Amino acid sequence: MMNRRNMLKSSAALAGVAATLGTARSFAQDNADIYSGGAPWAELLGWRLGCQAYSFNRFSFQEAVQKNASMGLRYIEGYPGQRLTKDESAGLGPGLNRAQRLLAKTILADNGVKIVNFGVTGVGRDTFEFALDMGIETLCTEPAFDQLENLSKMADEYKVNIALHNHPKPSIYWDYKTVLEHIDGLSPRVGSCADTGHWLRSGINPLEAVKALKGRIISFHFKDLNQASNGHDVPWGTGVADVPAILAEIKAQQFKGVFAIEYEHNWDNSVPEISQCVKFFNEQAKKLA
């Protein structure tokens, strides 16, 4: 039950959110180098584009949502532990109390953004309960192999997806073949969180991996890098990933789902570069539609 202190704290926090209404719109209007048109052509293909909030890990969840919305994006993937606001230090995740969850939901609603994925995170029953409460569809995770059967059962029970993420070597899922081996026989709700940039860092061709995972990709952490080994993120279509070919393959597979932009470069001022990714993605989707 929410006590008086929590109610007052929540009310103050919500007032702070209300005071920032329009921030996302004004942010885009005040920065002419930011593309703010979203990805409507992608949505015609069943592709939902949004940022992985880790792209803005030097900022609060509120600021991440506002930056996301400033580019016309309506979806976001949250990451565990990001402080909710500048003034509310509680980190996004199942440990949030009722008032803090209400604050997170208000931030999302006020900016017209839906949280669809959450990760990369450890997963237990409390994480599934958090996902249900927040409307999260997919939990991105890197569990031990012996946890997969139980997670598969809970994914069906809660109707929340489990997407196995491939951090680079020595992550246990760095090789897509390992993902395929260990999801065999599990629920269709268990599949890959396909990170194209980390495949490049592990010496894997992302197009090859996407082809091999046909039908078992739940969501994407999409990236383009300036070079395959130890490369950093660059606007999509300007790096070595051959993004048009990857997107054409994804379209051919009739994939419907979330593309999370995880941009791990130029941390303090990444929105102009991320917005170039959004614009390129929408243009490529228009060609494929």
Side-chain angles (χ1 to χ4, degrees):
M1 181 176 294
M2 192 185 305
N3 60 32
R4 184 172 183 273
R5 178 179 293 179
N6 283 340
M7 287 182 66
L8 290 172
K9 187 176 182 180
S10 177
S11 297
L14 291 174
V17 172
T20 64
L21 285 175
T23 299
R25 291 185 293 274
S26 63
F27 184 82
Q29 292 167 358
D30 293 342
N31 292 270
D33 55 346
I34 295 175
Y35 169 77
S36 59
W41 283 99
E43 295 202 24
L44 291 177
L45 297 175
W47 297 352
R48 290 175 289 165
L49 181 67
C51 291
Q52 218 299 349
Y54 192 76
S55 302
F56 311 117
N57 66 42
R58 297 187 181 183
F59 301 90
S60 68
F61 178 69
Q62 180 183 16
E63 292 168 296
V65 171
Q66 291 169 345
K67 289 174 184 290
N68 188 85
S70 75
M71 295 175 279
L73 299 177
R74 302 189 294 122
Y75 308 99
I76 198 166
E77 178 173 318
Y79 86 89
Q82 186 172 28
R83 65 182 299 140
L84 291 183
T85 71
K86 291 180 179 179
D87 300 319
E88 173 55 81
S89 62
L92 189 69
L96 294 180
N97 63 32
R98 182 181 174 188
Q100 292 159 347
R101 293 187 188 198
L102 176 60
L103 173 58
K105 292 174 183 178
T106 302
I107 290 168
L108 290 161
D110 285 346
N111 287 281
V113 174
K114 175 177 171 55
I115 183 169
V116 287
N117 292 5
F118 182 68
V120 176
T121 183
V123 177
R125 194 165 288 276
D126 62 337
T127 325
F128 279 103
E129 295 284 357
F130 173 70
L132 281 186
D133 186 30
M134 296 297 296
I136 293 167
E137 303 168 9
T138 298
L139 298 171
C140 302
T141 184
E142 294 179 354
F145 299 145
D146 61 7
Q147 295 177 326
L148 285 172
E149 185 174 351
N150 187 48
L151 289 176
S152 177
K153 292 175 181 176
M154 286 198 287
D156 284 337
E157 176 186 348
Y158 285 93
K159 296 181 173 55
V160 172
N161 302 321
I162 289 290
L164 304 180
H165 178 261
N166 55 283
H167 271 117
K169 299 176 184 178
S171 163
I172 60 174
Y173 296 108
W174 71 268
D175 189 340
Y176 64 87
K177 299 183 185 73
T178 303
V179 175
L180 285 170
E181 176 186 352
H182 284 89
I183 65 176
D184 185 40
L186 298 182
S187 167
R189 287 190 174 275
V190 181
S192 170
C193 171
D195 192 311
T196 57
H198 289 335
W199 277 328
L200 282 169
R201 294 184 175 110
S202 296
I204 291 176
N205 183 327
L207 180 58
E208 170 191 310
V210 168
K211 287 180 177 179
L213 287 163
K214 180 179 180 180
R216 297 311 300 265
I217 297 175
I218 302 289
S219 65
F220 284 91
H221 282 185
F222 213 82
K223 298 179 173 76
D224 197 357
L225 305 184
N226 67 324
Q227 61 184 34
S229 178
N230 299 317
H232 66 73
D233 287 88
V234 292
W236 297 353
T238 67
V240 299
D242 197 358
V243 173
I246 297 171
L247 293 179
E249 173 61 26
I250 294 169
K251 165 64 163 49
Q253 293 184 14
Q254 300 184 343
F255 170 83
K256 314 290 183 187
V258 174
F259 291 75
I261 306 170
E262 189 173 42
Y263 204 85
E264 300 175 303
H265 186 58
N266 198 11
W267 293 101
D268 292 320
N269 187 35
S270 59
V271 172
E273 292 172 27
I274 294 175
S275 76
Q276 292 179 48
C277 299
V278 177
K279 183 178 181 181
F280 181 83
F281 187 77
N282 191 55
E283 290 171 347
Q284 293 299 306
K286 181 177 182 180
K287 293 177 182 178
L288 294 168

